[in-house]
């Protein structure tokens, strides 16, 4: 049976803006207050999806969430109609409104951790939505994420869904952005590598910025997915990388099948990690592409998002392809490194640069924008909803964006009731296009 890696990209939402909400995310902090263009952002995302489709990849989408989150406003004690709640919340705290109106759900690498059926005890593909407890604006995402994932991957013989982890920041979980899976082919048994920032019950005095993922959270996800202990590894991200702005491991490392492409400073002891991965892989040969800081300083890697690329195997190209943000081509060290890598490499032989600048300015590169799922032909047949793209659906989504999205949103606009109503109207229509059912709170 044929297997493939499908990428589900988050659609940039109608309230996309730069509110500077993510402490430890350098781009988010430095672009705070800028004017965002949600329409351009959503179209850039769809263009990326189209590019992957043109390479023969299976490409899906996940919808933006309803923003402002009325559920969150109610939980803060606001009452009345939607408009009344928004007006009262804006008067009480524009910062609160900015948090509950963020379009951060576009970064679907943080939506969930997924273990494909080949790795799990019960032979089903397991999903745990990430609680995203470290950042308030993201902690409100998971209930809708869970509904979306259940609509697309119906619970049953093939797909199993768990609740997000309880326990607040002690059990902070950021999903697939801190998870790699190595394998020979997608349907073969793989090795899971969970990367964490700190222990839940320890003081991490070496961190300046939050270590968003805890070891205990990663362990809990692995346990509830029924992963085999000897095929499951846990490693701490280098505190120096977190302090340099790598708030998720996918800012300094990316993998595909048996290739691990990562920065020398991503882990404290990369030699040991490579030995551990090789040990867990057994007979399957691993390939490590460790990028030295002498060629690409850590600061350049974080600024350009070299490692926040998608590393993919396409059906119609020899060697793997890196899908990189344009910013990598604009930095001398990273541009030169990629030229050298693809020029001489049999493993990674293509580099495609894409413009996802609207997302990049909030710290989200190509890899942040996608959630990977390894799926068999039978799994594909069991998928619900209408979230797997084909050209016709892309055109429908482009028209939908052009029809509903603004081309300018600033943090000052977030109290505007018209923006809320336009967004809800757009999302209501989107649930019909994607056949998702009533996933949003305003539809319940
Ligand atoms: O969680 N930015 C996101 C970026 C997530 C990137 N994801 C991965 N690396 N996988 C975050 O920090 C910024 C929102 C704002 O500032 O308005 C934000 O949430």
């Amino acid at each position: 049976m044929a297997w493939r890696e499908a990428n589900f990209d988050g659609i940039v939402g109608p309230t996309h803006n730069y509110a500077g909400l993510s402490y430890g995310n350098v781009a988010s902090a430095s672009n705070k207050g800028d004017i965002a263009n949600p329409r351009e952002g959503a179209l850039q995302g769809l263009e990326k999806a189209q590019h992957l489709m043109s390479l023969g990849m299976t490409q899906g989408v996940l919808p933006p969430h309803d923003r402002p989150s009325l559920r969150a406003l109610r939980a803060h004690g606001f009452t009345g109609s939607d408009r009344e709640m928004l007006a009262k919340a804006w008067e009480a705290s524009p910062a609160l409104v900015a948090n509950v109106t963020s379009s951060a759900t576009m970064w679907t690498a943080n939506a969930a951790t997924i273990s494909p059926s080949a790795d799990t005890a019960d032979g089903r593909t397991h999903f745990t939505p990430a609680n995203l407890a470290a950042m308030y604006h993201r902690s409100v995402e998971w209930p809708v994420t869970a509904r979306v994932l259940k609509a697309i991957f119906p619970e049953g013989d093939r797909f199993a869904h768990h609740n997000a982890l309880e326990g607040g920041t002690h059990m902070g979980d950021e999903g697939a952005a801190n998870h790699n899976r190595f394998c020979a082919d997608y349907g073969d048994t793989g090795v899971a590598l969970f990367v964490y920032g700190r222990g839940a019950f320890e003081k991490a005095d070496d961190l300046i910025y939050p270590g968003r993922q805890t070891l205990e959270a990663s362990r809990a996800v692995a346990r509830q997915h029924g992963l085999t202990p000897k095929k499951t590894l846990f490693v701490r991200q280098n505190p120096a990388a977190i302090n340099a702005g790598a708030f998720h491991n996918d800012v300094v490392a990316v993998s595909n099948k048996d290739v691990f492409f990562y920065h020398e400073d991503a882990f404290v002891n990369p030699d040991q990690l490579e030995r551990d991965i090789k040990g867990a892989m057994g007979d399957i040969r691993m390939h490590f592409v460790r990028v030295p800081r002498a060629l690409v300083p850590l600061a350049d890697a974080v600024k350009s998002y070299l490692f926040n690329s998608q590393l993919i195997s396409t059906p119609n190209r020899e060697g793997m392809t890196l899908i990189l943000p344009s910013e990598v081509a604009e930095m001398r060290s990273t541009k030169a490194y990629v030229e050298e890598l693809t020029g001489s490499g049999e493993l990674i032989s293509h580099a495609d640069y894409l413009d996802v600048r609207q997302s990049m300015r909030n710290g989200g590169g190509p890899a942040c924008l996608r959630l990977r799922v390894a799926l068999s032909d039978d799994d594909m047949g069991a998928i619900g909803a209408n979230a797997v793209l084909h050209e016709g659906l892309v055109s429908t989504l482009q028209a939908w964006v052009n029809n509903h999205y603004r081309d300018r949103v600033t943090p000052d606009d977030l109290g505007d009731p018209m923006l809320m109503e336009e967004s809800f109207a757009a999302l209501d229509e989107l649930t019909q296009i994607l056949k998702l059912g009533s996933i949003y709170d305003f539809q319940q």
Side-chain angles (χ1 to χ4, degrees):
M1 190 178 350
W3 282 75
R4 85 268 302 132
E5 176 185 276
N7 285 277
F8 285 78
D9 282 31
I11 299 178
V12 174
T15 62
H16 160 56
N17 72 92
Y18 300 114
L21 302 178
S22 281
Y23 182 61
N25 170 342
V26 182
S28 153
S30 54
N31 295 311
K32 179 176 180 174
D34 281 4
I35 300 167
N37 184 336
R39 187 189 301 161
E40 185 179 70
L43 295 175
Q44 284 173 349
L46 289 172
E47 219 166 287
K48 172 167 100 67
Q50 244 176 335
H51 182 70
L52 268 88
M53 288 164 68
S54 76
L55 297 176
M57 300 291 289
T58 301
Q59 180 68 55
V61 284
L62 300 181
H65 291 195
D66 41 337
R67 295 289 179 266
S69 165
L70 300 175
R71 188 170 156 274
L73 289 181
R74 277 191 206 101
H76 281 270
F78 296 105
T79 53
S81 68
D82 299 354
R83 270 189 172 237
E84 283 164 353
M85 282 202 293
L86 177 59
K88 287 182 208 161
W90 186 249
E91 199 190 326
S93 169
L96 172 64
V97 174
N99 273 268
V100 301
T101 312
S102 170
S103 167
T105 60
M106 69 174 87
W107 299 297
T108 52
N110 306 116
T113 306
I114 301 173
S115 301
S117 54
D119 297 353
T120 63
D122 67 1
R124 297 190 294 166
T125 297
H126 283 247
F127 298 78
T128 297
N131 63 25
L132 296 169
M135 299 285 144
Y136 175 69
H137 70 289
R138 305 215 60 185
S139 69
V140 299
E141 293 180 16
W142 77 264
V144 172
T145 300
R147 284 180 213 149
V148 170
L149 292 175
K150 283 179 188 161
I152 301 176
F153 305 100
E155 174 85 30
D157 294 351
R158 315 203 73 83
F159 305 121
H161 293 266
H162 303 272
N163 285 333
L165 299 177
E166 290 180 11
T169 51
H170 282 84
M171 289 299 141
D173 174 23
E174 301 275 320
N178 290 325
H179 172 250
N180 288 281
R181 175 176 183 260
F182 310 116
C183 58
D185 201 357
Y186 301 114
D188 298 341
T189 304
V191 166
L193 175 68
F194 289 84
V195 186
Y196 61 92
R198 65 190 168 90
F201 310 116
E202 290 159 8
K203 268 173 79 187
D205 290 333
D206 47 6
L207 292 181
I208 302 168
Y209 290 143
R212 298 191 192 187
Q213 180 91 31
T214 68
L215 170 60
E216 284 69 14
S218 299
R219 283 199 172 130
V221 172
R223 219 176 272 128
Q224 67 186 13
H225 287 194
L227 298 183
T228 309
K230 65 178 196 308
K231 297 258 169 218
T232 308
L233 302 170
F234 302 91
V235 67
R236 189 176 184 214
Q237 188 172 344
N238 187 350
I242 296 178
N243 293 340
F247 53 95
H248 291 133
N249 184 247
D250 67 3
V251 176
V252 282
V254 62
S255 63
N256 178 44
K257 290 187 175 173
D258 50 5
V259 175
F260 195 26
F261 176 55
Y262 71 96
H263 194 272
E264 178 178 14
D265 291 325
F267 307 99
V268 172
N269 190 343
D271 291 333
Q272 183 59 48
L273 178 62
E274 289 190 7
R275 280 193 294 274
D276 291 345
I277 295 172
K278 279 186 199 159
M281 290 295 277
D283 297 339
I284 301 158
R285 174 140 181 251
M286 269 301 291
H287 305 274
F288 298 99
V289 184
R290 191 194 300 183
V291 180
R293 68 179 85 87
L295 294 182
V296 178
L298 181 60
D300 287 8
V302 173
K303 186 146 198 247
S304 68
Y305 264 41
L306 168 63
F307 296 93
N308 203 258
S309 48
Q310 290 176 253
L311 183 59
I312 55 172
S313 302
T314 64
N316 43 17
R317 280 180 177 175
E318 275 296 310
M320 293 187 187
T321 297
L322 275 174
I323 304 291
L324 297 143
S326 325
E327 285 78 350
V328 171
E330 288 158 13
M331 181 169 283
R332 200 167 346 133
S333 62
T334 50
K335 180 172 188 263
Y337 182 82
V338 172
E339 273 169 14
E340 172 71 26
L341 174 74
T342 52
S344 60
E346 290 134 33
L347 288 173
I348 303 177
S349 11
H350 307 272
D352 295 357
Y353 289 97
L354 296 182
D355 179 358
V356 288
R357 283 179 210 276
Q358 286 291 328
S359 166
M360 281 287 284
R361 287 189 203 122
N362 253 339
C368 299
L369 286 161
R370 63 96 168 88
L371 182 65
R372 296 187 275 189
V373 197
L375 296 168
S376 67
D377 286 345
D378 287 349
D379 292 336
M380 289 297 293
I383 280 186
N386 184 34
V388 176
L389 294 181
H390 50 80
E391 278 304 329
L393 185 50
V394 175
S395 308
T396 304
L397 292 172
Q398 284 165 333
W400 169 80
V401 169
N402 282 318
N403 199 16
H404 289 284
Y405 277 51
R406 295 188 183 185
D407 60 5
R408 186 194 148 96
V409 172
T410 70
D412 285 341
D413 295 326
L414 303 180
D416 176 2
M418 293 295 289
L419 180 63
M420 171 177 72
E421 285 166 8
E422 286 160 31
S423 301
F424 289 176
L427 297 186
D428 200 32
E429 192 178 315
L430 184 66
T431 51
Q432 290 162 42
I433 297 171
L434 300 180
K435 298 191 174 41
L436 287 165
S438 301
I439 50 166
Y440 297 123
D441 291 320
F442 70 81
Q443 296 173 315
Q444 311 263 310

